[in-house]
Amino acid sequence: MSIVRRLWQRILKPTYFVGKDMEGNKYFEYPNANNGRSKRTVKYRKNEDMWAYVASGKRLPVQWSAWLTHTRPDPPGIEELQADLARQQRVKLNAAILEARDEAERANRERLEAPSHHSAVDTQSQNVSRDERLEPPESDRRPKTQTRDPWAEALSGSDEPRSWVPMTRKR
């Protein structure tokens, strides 16, 4: 493309300021001379801020990121950005409330699980072993069927290959 045509395009289709975000970053759109996809850029509030965004220390608002990547056709408005900021603050507040509730439940559970000073009931429950507490009552016990242990067979047998036949499982 010639220099004269580029200058003419710049005059006819200059760079457009599209908007700002809450942190003061400015967003621009450069129309394409060939009626193709326009170029969208961000100018950070300070030049040093660019490195904070590149190094993932800061993030651009999601709405502006979507606009920059041509995911959304129209730039976001300041009202939309303010509503999203309010939503983020509500989410943080709700998360803090849930964490406080979980911490209170954890403290309550630890208090209940701590050994109490009622000796009669506690000594009986402490004398019962853990295995006995986990075993089902005798009426629920099913007869144990012998299952084949493939590791024991592999270690004791020869290394010759054998055919494999799937076993049916009884329920």
Short mmCIF file of all heavy atoms in Angstrom, two decimals, residues 77-102:
data_model
loop_
_atom_site.label_atom_id
_atom_site.label_comp_id
_atom_site.label_asym_id
_atom_site.label_seq_id
_atom_site.Cartn_x
_atom_site.Cartn_y
_atom_site.Cartn_z
N GLY A 77 -19.82 -0.54 28.84
CA GLY A 77 -20.08 0.79 29.40
C GLY A 77 -19.59 0.86 30.83
O GLY A 77 -19.30 -0.15 31.48
N ILE A 78 -19.49 2.06 31.34
CA ILE A 78 -19.01 2.26 32.71
C ILE A 78 -20.01 1.66 33.72
O ILE A 78 -19.60 1.15 34.76
CB ILE A 78 -18.73 3.76 32.99
CG1 ILE A 78 -17.89 3.94 34.25
CG2 ILE A 78 -20.01 4.55 33.10
CD1 ILE A 78 -16.47 3.57 34.08
N GLU A 79 -21.31 1.67 33.38
CA GLU A 79 -22.32 1.09 34.28
C GLU A 79 -22.11 -0.42 34.40
O GLU A 79 -22.24 -0.99 35.49
CB GLU A 79 -23.74 1.36 33.77
CG GLU A 79 -24.12 2.82 33.71
CD GLU A 79 -23.66 3.49 32.41
OE1 GLU A 79 -23.34 2.77 31.44
OE2 GLU A 79 -23.60 4.73 32.38
N GLU A 80 -21.79 -1.05 33.29
CA GLU A 80 -21.55 -2.50 33.30
C GLU A 80 -20.32 -2.83 34.15
O GLU A 80 -20.32 -3.80 34.90
CB GLU A 80 -21.37 -3.00 31.87
CG GLU A 80 -21.20 -4.49 31.76
CD GLU A 80 -21.01 -4.94 30.32
OE1 GLU A 80 -21.10 -4.12 29.39
OE2 GLU A 80 -20.78 -6.15 30.15
N LEU A 81 -19.28 -2.03 34.03
CA LEU A 81 -18.07 -2.25 34.83
C LEU A 81 -18.34 -2.05 36.31
O LEU A 81 -17.84 -2.81 37.16
CB LEU A 81 -16.95 -1.33 34.35
CG LEU A 81 -16.44 -1.57 32.93
CD1 LEU A 81 -15.47 -0.48 32.53
CD2 LEU A 81 -15.80 -2.93 32.82
N GLN A 82 -19.12 -1.03 36.65
CA GLN A 82 -19.46 -0.78 38.05
C GLN A 82 -20.32 -1.90 38.62
O GLN A 82 -20.13 -2.33 39.77
CB GLN A 82 -20.17 0.56 38.19
CG GLN A 82 -19.26 1.75 37.97
CD GLN A 82 -20.01 3.06 37.93
OE1 GLN A 82 -21.24 3.10 37.74
NE2 GLN A 82 -19.28 4.16 38.07
N ALA A 83 -21.25 -2.42 37.83
CA ALA A 83 -22.09 -3.52 38.28
C ALA A 83 -21.26 -4.78 38.51
O ALA A 83 -21.48 -5.51 39.49
CB ALA A 83 -23.20 -3.80 37.27
N ASP A 84 -20.29 -5.02 37.64
CA ASP A 84 -19.43 -6.19 37.81
C ASP A 84 -18.54 -6.03 39.03
O ASP A 84 -18.30 -7.00 39.76
CB ASP A 84 -18.57 -6.41 36.56
CG ASP A 84 -17.80 -7.72 36.63
OD1 ASP A 84 -18.46 -8.77 36.85
OD2 ASP A 84 -16.57 -7.69 36.48
N LEU A 85 -18.05 -4.83 39.31
CA LEU A 85 -17.24 -4.59 40.50
C LEU A 85 -18.07 -4.82 41.76
O LEU A 85 -17.58 -5.44 42.73
CB LEU A 85 -16.69 -3.16 40.46
CG LEU A 85 -15.71 -2.79 41.55
CD1 LEU A 85 -14.46 -3.66 41.46
CD2 LEU A 85 -15.33 -1.32 41.45
N ALA A 86 -19.33 -4.37 41.75
CA ALA A 86 -20.22 -4.61 42.90
C ALA A 86 -20.47 -6.11 43.07
O ALA A 86 -20.49 -6.62 44.21
CB ALA A 86 -21.54 -3.87 42.70
N ARG A 87 -20.63 -6.84 41.96
CA ARG A 87 -20.84 -8.29 42.05
C ARG A 87 -19.60 -8.97 42.64
O ARG A 87 -19.73 -9.84 43.49
CB ARG A 87 -21.12 -8.86 40.66
CG ARG A 87 -21.37 -10.36 40.65
CD ARG A 87 -21.26 -10.95 39.26
NE ARG A 87 -19.96 -10.76 38.65
CZ ARG A 87 -18.89 -11.53 38.89
NH1 ARG A 87 -18.98 -12.55 39.72
NH2 ARG A 87 -17.75 -11.30 38.28
N GLN A 88 -18.41 -8.54 42.23
CA GLN A 88 -17.18 -9.13 42.77
C GLN A 88 -17.06 -8.89 44.27
O GLN A 88 -16.65 -9.77 45.02
CB GLN A 88 -15.96 -8.56 42.06
CG GLN A 88 -15.81 -9.03 40.64
CD GLN A 88 -14.66 -8.34 39.92
OE1 GLN A 88 -13.94 -7.53 40.50
NE2 GLN A 88 -14.50 -8.65 38.65
N GLN A 89 -17.46 -7.70 44.73
CA GLN A 89 -17.42 -7.40 46.16
C GLN A 89 -18.43 -8.25 46.93
O GLN A 89 -18.13 -8.73 48.03
CB GLN A 89 -17.67 -5.91 46.40
CG GLN A 89 -16.52 -5.05 45.93
CD GLN A 89 -16.84 -3.57 45.98
OE1 GLN A 89 -18.00 -3.17 46.14
NE2 GLN A 89 -15.81 -2.74 45.83
N ARG A 90 -19.63 -8.47 46.33
CA ARG A 90 -20.62 -9.35 46.98
C ARG A 90 -20.10 -10.78 47.10
O ARG A 90 -20.28 -11.44 48.12
CB ARG A 90 -21.93 -9.35 46.19
CG ARG A 90 -22.81 -8.16 46.43
CD ARG A 90 -24.22 -8.37 45.88
NE ARG A 90 -24.28 -8.97 44.57
CZ ARG A 90 -24.27 -8.29 43.41
NH1 ARG A 90 -24.18 -6.98 43.44
NH2 ARG A 90 -24.35 -8.92 42.26
N VAL A 91 -19.42 -11.26 46.05
CA VAL A 91 -18.88 -12.62 46.07
C VAL A 91 -17.81 -12.73 47.16
O VAL A 91 -17.78 -13.72 47.91
CB VAL A 91 -18.32 -13.00 44.68
CG1 VAL A 91 -17.47 -14.24 44.75
CG2 VAL A 91 -19.45 -13.19 43.70
N LYS A 92 -16.94 -11.73 47.30
CA LYS A 92 -15.92 -11.77 48.34
C LYS A 92 -16.54 -11.75 49.73
O LYS A 92 -16.09 -12.47 50.62
CB LYS A 92 -14.97 -10.58 48.19
CG LYS A 92 -13.99 -10.72 47.05
CD LYS A 92 -13.07 -9.52 46.96
CE LYS A 92 -12.16 -9.63 45.77
NZ LYS A 92 -11.30 -8.44 45.65
N LEU A 93 -17.58 -10.94 49.90
CA LEU A 93 -18.26 -10.88 51.19
C LEU A 93 -18.92 -12.23 51.52
O LEU A 93 -18.80 -12.74 52.64
CB LEU A 93 -19.31 -9.77 51.19
CG LEU A 93 -20.13 -9.61 52.47
CD1 LEU A 93 -19.22 -9.16 53.60
CD2 LEU A 93 -21.25 -8.61 52.25
N ASN A 94 -19.61 -12.83 50.54
CA ASN A 94 -20.24 -14.13 50.75
C ASN A 94 -19.21 -15.21 51.05
O ASN A 94 -19.43 -16.08 51.89
CB ASN A 94 -21.08 -14.52 49.55
CG ASN A 94 -22.33 -13.67 49.42
OD1 ASN A 94 -22.76 -13.04 50.38
ND2 ASN A 94 -22.91 -13.62 48.24
N ALA A 95 -18.06 -15.15 50.38
CA ALA A 95 -16.99 -16.12 50.65
C ALA A 95 -16.47 -15.95 52.07
O ALA A 95 -16.20 -16.94 52.76
CB ALA A 95 -15.87 -15.97 49.64
N ALA A 96 -16.32 -14.72 52.53
CA ALA A 96 -15.85 -14.48 53.90
C ALA A 96 -16.86 -15.00 54.92
O ALA A 96 -16.49 -15.58 55.94
CB ALA A 96 -15.59 -12.99 54.11
N ILE A 97 -18.15 -14.81 54.62
CA ILE A 97 -19.19 -15.31 55.52
C ILE A 97 -19.14 -16.83 55.58
O ILE A 97 -19.22 -17.43 56.66
CB ILE A 97 -20.58 -14.81 55.07
CG1 ILE A 97 -20.70 -13.31 55.31
CG2 ILE A 97 -21.71 -15.56 55.78
CD1 ILE A 97 -21.93 -12.68 54.68
N LEU A 98 -19.01 -17.48 54.43
CA LEU A 98 -18.94 -18.95 54.40
C LEU A 98 -17.70 -19.47 55.13
O LEU A 98 -17.76 -20.47 55.84
CB LEU A 98 -18.96 -19.45 52.96
CG LEU A 98 -20.31 -19.36 52.25
CD1 LEU A 98 -20.15 -19.75 50.79
CD2 LEU A 98 -21.33 -20.23 52.93
N GLU A 99 -16.57 -18.80 54.95
CA GLU A 99 -15.35 -19.23 55.65
C GLU A 99 -15.51 -19.08 57.15
O GLU A 99 -15.07 -19.95 57.92
CB GLU A 99 -14.15 -18.42 55.16
CG GLU A 99 -13.69 -18.82 53.79
CD GLU A 99 -12.53 -17.96 53.29
OE1 GLU A 99 -12.02 -17.12 54.06
OE2 GLU A 99 -12.15 -18.15 52.12
N ALA A 100 -16.13 -18.00 57.61
CA ALA A 100 -16.36 -17.81 59.05
C ALA A 100 -17.30 -18.89 59.58
O ALA A 100 -17.08 -19.45 60.67
CB ALA A 100 -16.94 -16.42 59.31
N ARG A 101 -18.34 -19.23 58.81
CA ARG A 101 -19.27 -20.27 59.22
C ARG A 101 -18.57 -21.64 59.29
O ARG A 101 -18.77 -22.40 60.23
CB ARG A 101 -20.45 -20.35 58.24
CG ARG A 101 -21.54 -21.29 58.70
CD ARG A 101 -22.67 -21.38 57.70
NE ARG A 101 -23.21 -20.05 57.40
CZ ARG A 101 -23.88 -19.76 56.29
NH1 ARG A 101 -24.09 -20.69 55.39
NH2 ARG A 101 -24.34 -18.55 56.09
N ASP A 102 -17.73 -21.93 58.29
CA ASP A 102 -16.98 -23.19 58.31
C ASP A 102 -16.03 -23.25 59.49
O ASP A 102 -15.87 -24.30 60.12
CB ASP A 102 -16.20 -23.37 57.01
CG ASP A 102 -17.09 -23.71 55.84
OD1 ASP A 102 -18.26 -24.07 56.07
OD2 ASP A 102 -16.60 -23.62 54.69
#
